[in-house]
Amino acid sequence: MAEEKPARPVEPVSRRTRSDRRRAESTRSAPSPVEGTTRAAARRLVRARRRRRTTVEAVAALAGLLALVGYVHWWSEPAPDDQPDPDGLPAVVGRPALPSGSATAEAVPGLRPRDRSPSPSPSATVAPTPTPSAPSPTLTVSRSDIPATVDLTEAGVRDWLHWGLAGATSPVRKRGGSADLRDLGGRGDRRTWDGNQELFRWRDGAPVDSAGDVADGVYTCGAGNGFRLAVVSDGRPRTATVYLGVWMARGRLDVRVGDGGPRRTLHLEERHTSLSSGVAVRFQAPQGTRVLLTWTVEEAFTPHCGNVGLQAATLR
């Protein structure tokens, strides 16, 4: 019978052996100092790349926004030579059309017309608009022969006066006329005369309604004596014609516009007999301005009443 061998006792695992094994395993899993440094550098590199990418994206977005703002500003400002379309925008080839104003149109951010500058506040000082100055008064004086017969109704479409028929100091005037012709009197005694060579007629007078081929007039004798007339301006270009004469005298006609306006002087002289003339006074002055006419004896060539005479005046 075989002899049994005694079993080998199992050697218990000591606590030291387990601890050593765990320490060895932890030693194998822990990174070495060099490996830890490499991993930290890699993480820093990744973070740096992310920040750089974020910065580049932000710069690109800002550049795009600035470009969009510039584009909107360029689009909303018409070029100097552009002619506006009926909708108020310049018709420039190549510029995009406005977004549709209908409710179904797709909104396009940023493509709105530039806002107008705000209106000045009520307290802001606004320069007054300059008032255009009135044109300077004008005046011309010329003379011509009187026709054999003058129709005052036709010649004085605006107003007319005739002296002599109704008395020395009461002229006949146009009925319903403008009354812009004024008799201001004068110096010396007025006398009537019915032997003038020129004849006058009218159909719209007062107090004498009508007359034909009238040779009457008035005159005054002596140096320094004469007549004063006025024409009131209505602001438009007008022509006043005065029918006057001299007998053995030199007459002087002074014409002036207002107090400081232009002046003109005309002489008419006849040493031996009578001489008549029509004097046209063309003028323009502010409304209400008086054009003054003074017709006087500058020199008498006879002691027997060298004089100046007056027959009629018209305005058109």
Side-chain angles (χ1 to χ4, degrees), residues 85-208:
D85 281 341
D87 60 359
L89 294 174
V92 180
V93 178
R95 292 189 181 182
L98 277 174
S100 172
S102 62
T104 58
E106 183 180 357
V108 182
L111 295 184
R112 295 193 304 269
R114 187 178 60 179
D115 293 337
R116 295 180 179 273
S117 300
S119 301
S121 61
S123 59
T125 302
V126 180
T129 303
T131 303
S133 57
S136 300
T138 60
L139 175 65
T140 61
V141 177
S142 60
R143 53 172 291 192
S144 61
D145 294 335
I146 302 176
T149 302
V150 177
D151 190 324
L152 296 179
T153 300
E154 294 180 359
V157 292
R158 185 169 179 81
D159 198 13
W160 60 260
L161 292 174
H162 183 273
W163 288 270
L165 186 63
T169 59
S170 301
V172 179
R173 70 175 315 123
K174 182 181 180 70
R175 183 180 62 251
S178 66
D180 290 334
L181 288 173
R182 310 285 176 84
D183 184 351
L184 303 183
R187 182 178 176 183
D189 294 331
R190 288 190 186 185
R191 306 176 186 180
T192 60
W193 168 252
D194 60 0
N196 291 304
Q197 298 176 357
E198 295 80 25
L199 304 177
F200 293 84
R201 61 178 60 170
W202 62 83
R203 299 176 301 280
D204 56 349
V208 181

Side-chain angles (χ1 to χ4, degrees), residues 19-315:
S19 300
D20 293 341
R21 189 165 50 251
R22 284 196 299 270
R23 188 179 301 110
E25 291 176 358
S26 62
T27 300
R28 286 195 300 270
S29 61
S32 64
V34 175
E35 184 178 359
T37 302
T38 303
R39 290 182 179 180
R43 286 194 294 271
R44 287 195 297 272
L45 180 60
V46 169
R47 287 195 295 270
R49 288 178 177 175
R50 288 177 180 175
R51 287 195 295 271
R52 185 165 55 250
R53 183 170 62 250
T54 302
T55 303
V56 170
E57 291 175 352
V59 170
L62 179 60
L65 179 60
L66 292 177
L68 180 60
V69 171
Y71 171 80
V72 172
H73 178 73
W74 167 83
W75 176 83
S76 61
E77 283 289 339
D81 296 332
D82 294 340
Q83 297 296 327
D85 281 341
D87 60 359
L89 294 174
V92 180
V93 178
R95 292 189 181 182
L98 277 174
S100 172
S102 62
T104 58
E106 183 180 357
V108 182
L111 295 184
R112 295 193 304 269
R114 187 178 60 179
D115 293 337
R116 295 180 179 273
S117 300
S119 301
S121 61
S123 59
T125 302
V126 180
T129 303
T131 303
S133 57
S136 300
T138 60
L139 175 65
T140 61
V141 177
S142 60
R143 53 172 291 192
S144 61
D145 294 335
I146 302 176
T149 302
V150 177
D151 190 324
L152 296 179
T153 300
E154 294 180 359
V157 292
R158 185 169 179 81
D159 198 13
W160 60 260
L161 292 174
H162 183 273
W163 288 270
L165 186 63
T169 59
S170 301
V172 179
R173 70 175 315 123
K174 182 181 180 70
R175 183 180 62 251
S178 66
D180 290 334
L181 288 173
R182 310 285 176 84
D183 184 351
L184 303 183
R187 182 178 176 183
D189 294 331
R190 288 190 186 185
R191 306 176 186 180
T192 60
W193 168 252
D194 60 0
N196 291 304
Q197 298 176 357
E198 295 80 25
L199 304 177
F200 293 84
R201 61 178 60 170
W202 62 83
R203 299 176 301 280
D204 56 349
V208 181
D209 182 69
S210 62
D213 299 340
V214 174
D216 296 72
V218 292
Y219 66 95
T220 183
C221 306
N225 294 332
F227 305 90
R228 294 183 67 241
L229 307 176
V231 187
V232 181
S233 172
D234 65 347
R236 299 182 180 182
R238 296 294 182 189
T239 300
T241 303
V242 184
Y243 302 91
L244 44 76
V246 295
W247 184 78
M248 298 184 70
R250 180 172 63 247
R252 172 175 173 150
L253 178 66
D254 293 303
V255 184
R256 64 183 176 92
V257 178
D259 294 330
R263 298 168 178 260
R264 300 290 184 270
T265 299
L266 182 144
H267 291 90
L268 188 64
E269 180 178 323
E270 175 54 58
R271 290 177 175 267
H272 307 290
T273 184
S274 62
L275 176 64
S276 300
S277 184
V279 178
V281 178
R282 296 177 176 86
F283 65 92
Q284 183 175 12
Q287 186 174 6
T289 302
R290 283 190 172 192
V291 180
L292 301 175
L293 299 86
T294 305
W295 175 229
T296 58
V297 179
E298 189 172 52
E299 184 178 358
F301 301 123
T302 176
H304 303 291
C305 195
N307 64 73
V308 294
L310 191 62
Q311 290 177 271
T314 61
L315 178 64

